[in-house]
Amino acid sequence: MNILLLGSGGREHALAWKIKQSYHCNQLFIAPGNPGTAQCGTNVMLDVLEFEDIKKFCIENNINIVVVGAEEPLVKGIYDYLMNSEWNGFVIGPSQKAAQLEGSKAFSKKFMQRHHIPTAAYAEFTIKNFEAGKQYIQQHTLPIVLKADGLAAGKGVVIAQTHEEALQVFEAMIINKQFGNASSKVVIEEFLTGIEVSVFVLTNGKDYQIIGHAKDYKRIGEGDTGLNTGGMGCVTPVPIMNNNFMNEVEETIIKPTINGLYQEELIYNGFIFFGLINVEGKPFVIEYNCRMGDPETEVVMPRLYTDLVALFAAMDNGTLADTNISYNENCYATVVAVSGGYPGEYKKNLPIEGLSNISNANNSIVFQAGTKQDEAGNILTNGGRVLTITSQGNTITEAVHQSKKILEQINFEGMYYRKDIGYEFE
Ligand code: AMP
Ligand code: GLY
């Protein structure tokens, strides 16, 4: 099969790495990709939001499967566009309507309520009931979670520690349109205390398979301090996600979600990322994403033993439920090297030294995220999260140690990484 993968981050490098190993993969193209994905297939200069160009490319290159990495094309309807076009293939991703599970917090909260899926108590507000929203905030227990309804590049959630802060954020979102249309509706919800974990599922909207789980480290600073980032590192398997917990996740969250999609005829043919909080052993959903996580993919794909393209084919031909999922036995960790200043302002175009001396043997893989190549072939920084080093080991500690050893051989001006990924599991 010929496959087109859309995206250019560490997640896409890990997906490309996994897809390329498949016996079923003939040609792999990545659009626009990065120098890392170029090691796994052919990068093509297509914009992931230019659906017509993508369709033409698929027809001209006999593409059978389009795998969509990030949420934006999905929320903007790439699934519907391609599936209703003259191109004859299938898309890994949800329809535009179903992508609202990520694209609208209010949509996903209502969906969870309809299907009795455990989640934090909430209410939603717009300019029309702004005054009622202020009263709701004043009576709310602290802290208060405020979420812009739409996509806001990961910045639309604020956890306010005081009522005053919550009122300010509420006003900034609704009155000052801080996130444009994305914050014209705001979800206000109860704060859940517990450990945040994520579970990854592939579904065709009827059947599903769990393909992995992970714990992400979102804060920039060691000991989980400082600003939120896209993710500074991940580990899997997670010791607290034992069989009991995973059974509870499957029975109370995954099955009702898939059944809900099916009952409501929401077309879904892709990954679901369940963002969960383990509150004293009981899982609650804090968010759905309609794509894989980044950097979660960088540990989930190396741990997954099953052929990913065979799973895609099984989704299409109705055999997904009968497919066996197996995992490599080791523990996996990834540690992200970011640009100095991230998640705030940072420099780009800085040369990365040491990459060429590292071989992907030795139980580690260097996944590239925000990188680019200059005309002379040098790899330069091109984003906040630059590289993510995944390693395996007998324990999480061993895997993290191995990634840090690799990172000691790499350097770019201002490079920073957390040295304490997986600290709770030492
Ligand atoms: P979201 O975009 O909904 O995943 O929210 C971003 C981050 O805010 C999550 O990864 C959590 O760390 C935190 N968060 C969101 N909702 C809640 C909640 N109800 N209780 C506690 N933390 C939350
Ligand atoms: N690492 C979190 C995410 O991909 O949303």
Side-chain angles (χ1 to χ4, degrees):
M1 274 185 277
N2 296 329
I3 299 171
L4 172 65
L5 168 64
L6 301 180
S8 61
R11 167 182 50 212
E12 286 73 25
H13 188 178
L15 285 169
W17 173 87
K18 180 71 179 163
I19 289 169
K20 192 57 198 167
Q21 292 170 43
S22 170
Y23 166 75
H24 302 278
C25 175
N26 183 19
Q27 279 188 292
L28 172 63
F29 298 94
I30 309 97
N34 67 32
T37 64
Q39 297 164 6
C40 310
T42 309
N43 284 351
V44 283
M45 274 305 136
L46 287 170
D47 184 325
V48 300
L49 297 178
E50 293 294 338
F51 298 168
E52 196 178 335
D53 294 349
I54 293 169
K55 176 193 72 181
K56 279 191 195 143
F57 181 87
C58 289
I59 294 171
E60 282 162 15
N61 293 279
N62 296 316
I63 298 295
N64 305 101
I65 310 177
V66 173
V67 182
V68 187
E71 64 280 8
E72 199 183 352
L74 292 164
V75 171
K76 293 194 167 149
I78 193 167
Y79 177 93
D80 312 68
Y81 181 90
L82 290 177
M83 294 305 286
N84 294 323
S85 76
E86 59 276 30
W87 171 62
N88 244 327
F90 62 96
V91 176
I92 300 299
S95 64
Q96 185 168 24
K97 223 170 152 187
Q100 291 300 297
L101 281 184
E102 174 165 0
S104 164
K105 301 278 187 203
F107 178 95
S108 72
K109 294 298 278 191
K110 281 194 207 113
F111 177 88
M112 286 186 259
Q113 256 187 352
R114 283 198 294 280
H115 300 287
H116 312 289
I117 295 166
T119 188
Y122 83 107
E124 59 178 81
F125 299 95
T126 62
I127 187 80
K128 288 195 186 134
N129 56 353
F130 182 70
E131 289 305 318
K134 283 174 30 184
Q135 276 176 21
Y136 187 82
I137 287 173
Q138 261 142 0
Q139 283 155 17
H140 204 288
T141 52
L142 292 172
I144 305 172
V145 184
L146 295 102
K147 300 184 173 184
D149 179 56
L151 294 183
K155 301 203 167 75
V157 175
V158 175
I159 297 170
Q161 301 299 336
T162 64
H163 291 101
E164 292 68 37
E165 185 191 351
L167 286 168
Q168 270 169 19
V169 170
F170 186 56
E171 191 169 322
M173 285 189 180
I174 290 196
I175 307 289
N176 307 336
K177 298 190 164 39
Q178 188 184 4
F179 300 106
N181 258 348
S183 64
S184 60
K185 192 182 277 177
V186 171
V187 163
I188 296 181
E189 71 179 35
E190 165 201 17
F191 180 82
L192 296 175
T193 305
I195 299 172
E196 211 176 322
V197 291
S198 44
V199 174
F200 300 90
V201 161
L202 257 178
T203 182
N204 56 9
K206 184 166 171 280
D207 301 316
Y208 70 89
Q209 289 288 352
I210 298 173
I211 57 161
H213 71 252
K215 180 173 192 309
D216 182 18
Y217 293 77
K218 286 211 164 101
R219 303 292 198 92
I220 188 74
E222 286 174 11
D224 296 325
T225 54
L227 293 175
N228 248 331
T229 71
M232 297 295 293
C234 268
V235 300
T236 192
V238 185
I240 51 166
M241 298 175 83
N242 53 25
N243 284 346
N244 273 350
F245 182 75
M246 287 303 286
N247 284 341
E248 183 92 10
V249 171
E250 199 163 353
E251 293 306 318
T252 65
I253 292 171
I254 299 176
K255 284 184 184 167
T257 300
I258 308 292
N259 289 339
L261 291 171
Y262 187 72
Q263 277 168 25
E264 297 189 23
E265 296 179 14
L266 291 166
I267 297 170
Y268 208 115
N269 192 56
F271 297 103
I272 308 184
F273 168 148
F274 294 86
L276 309 174
I277 289 195
N278 175 341
V279 184
E280 290 166 6
K282 198 167 159 35
F284 286 75
V285 177
I286 47 165
E287 64 168 343
Y288 288 113
N289 293 312
C290 58
R291 50 164 176 87
M292 286 296 291
D294 194 352
E296 288 87 342
T297 309
E298 290 93 307
V299 291
V300 167
M301 287 301 142
R303 181 173 176 237
L304 182 67
Y305 180 77
T306 308
D307 182 321
L308 186 62
V309 183
L311 284 172
F312 294 158
M315 287 159 72
D316 190 48
N317 66 26
T319 56
L320 185 65
D322 310 321
T323 313
N324 260 334
I325 299 288
S326 51
Y327 301 106
N328 291 312
E329 280 187 358
N330 276 337
C331 293
Y332 291 79
T334 201
V335 180
V336 184
V338 303
S339 298
Y342 173 80
E345 299 273 300
Y346 53 82
K347 286 191 199 162
K348 285 188 184 177
N349 299 316
L350 301 168
I352 305 172
E353 290 156 21
L355 272 184
S356 53
N357 302 332
I358 294 161
S359 82
N360 276 347
N362 289 338
N363 296 332
S364 294
I365 316 163
V366 177
F367 289 122
Q368 297 194 26
T371 62
K372 68 177 186 190
Q373 197 160 16
D374 68 10
E375 278 164 14
N378 301 309
I379 308 288
L380 310 178
T381 66
N382 191 36
R385 293 188 291 174
V386 177
L387 302 168
T388 173
I389 318 297
T390 297
S391 304
Q392 53 178 307
N394 290 319
T395 60
I396 287 172
T397 310
E398 212 177 283
V400 174
H401 181 73
Q402 174 67 18
S403 284
K404 288 193 291 190
K405 262 175 50 190
I406 301 285
L407 279 161
E408 281 165 15
Q409 302 167 52
I410 299 175
N411 190 41
F412 56 85
E413 187 193 311
M415 176 172 121
Y416 166 77
Y417 56 94
R418 272 182 65 171
K419 299 191 176 58
D420 68 340
I421 299 302
Y423 66 89
E424 319 92 305
F425 308 121
E426 275 180 8

